Amino acid sequence: MRLDKYLKVSRLIKRRTVANEACDAGRVSINGKTAKASSAVKAGDVIEIQFGTRTVKAEIVDVSETVKKEEAAQMYKIL
């Protein structure tokens, strides 16, 4: 699955366009490497997102095309 779509589906970032812009600005990394929006993600990868002064680090647990809002938090584990 594409990184920008995963960020939207998992609700780490609310909109796909915002996820796309964050990736283009270099604020998202996968396993320590800066990632493009089109980068593929899989279970076990560690995503790091910089929101201004705050950094969120999460491990991907599940990759699904669609999930319900209540189940979205189960797609990742905050580190």
Side-chain angles (χ1 to χ4, degrees):
M1 176 185 281
R2 288 174 54 104
L3 175 60
D4 57 346
K5 184 167 184 180
Y6 179 82
L7 291 172
K8 182 208 174 280
V9 170
S10 67
R11 291 172 173 76
L12 283 168
I13 296 180
K14 297 241 188 242
R15 282 182 242 104
R16 190 165 176 179
T17 53
V18 175
N20 227 319
E21 291 166 4
C23 292
D24 291 344
R27 296 193 309 254
V28 181
S29 63
I30 301 174
N31 298 326
K33 295 182 185 123
T34 304
K36 293 183 182 179
S38 61
S39 300
V41 295
K42 59 189 181 311
D45 285 347
V46 176
I47 297 177
E48 199 167 332
I49 309 165
Q50 295 172 344
F51 293 109
T53 58
R54 212 176 96 212
T55 302
V56 174
K57 198 171 188 180
E59 181 181 349
I60 298 174
V61 176
D62 182 31
V63 178
S64 301
E65 292 291 321
T66 57
V67 297
K68 294 179 181 170
K69 184 167 61 171
E70 300 82 31
E71 299 167 359
Q74 297 170 358
M75 292 182 69
Y76 58 90
K77 180 173 60 174
I78 299 291
L79 302 176

